[in-house]
Amino acid sequence: LQNFQEEVTNRKAAMEEDVRKCEAAESHNADLLEAAKIDSDAAKSKLGELEMELAAVVAEEVKQKGDVATTTAAVKDLESASVKAADAVVSEQAQLSAFHAELLD
């Protein structure tokens, strides 16, 4: 009977030790989970910041493309105006030459 009681006491102590180890592991796991949640929240926050930065960069790029398109259109308008002006100068020179020729006659 005494051997049985000792065996029960030893097994009970071993089980209690196992329970303490499990509780310690559970507490450690809870701490790790909390740390992971904090890291996850920080990563989500950083992702939000990066998404905002990306949106700003995309908006700036769209604006620049619009500016480039506007500038390109203005350059084309200037080129067209320049060609018209050159044609007008040639025409004016031709008229002046013709007038000059009439005066000489």
Side-chain angles (χ1 to χ4, degrees), residues 2-45:
Q2 187 167 349
N3 285 341
F4 178 72
Q5 286 177 339
E6 285 178 22
E7 182 66 26
V8 168
T9 301
N10 289 341
R11 286 187 182 186
K12 183 179 175 188
M15 287 180 177
E16 288 172 348
E17 181 61 24
D18 287 345
V19 167
R20 280 191 293 277
K21 287 179 182 177
C22 286
E23 288 172 345
E26 183 179 355
S27 175
H28 179 69
N29 289 341
D31 292 343
L32 291 176
L33 179 59
E34 185 61 29
K37 285 180 183 177
I38 291 170
D39 290 346
S40 175
D41 290 344
K44 286 178 186 176
S45 176

Side-chain angles (χ1 to χ4, degrees), residues 58-79:
V58 168
E60 181 62 26
E61 185 176 337
V62 167
K63 180 182 176 288
Q64 287 178 0
K65 283 183 180 178
D67 291 347
V68 167
T70 301
T71 302
T72 300
V75 166
K76 286 182 181 180
D77 289 345
L78 287 172
E79 288 173 346

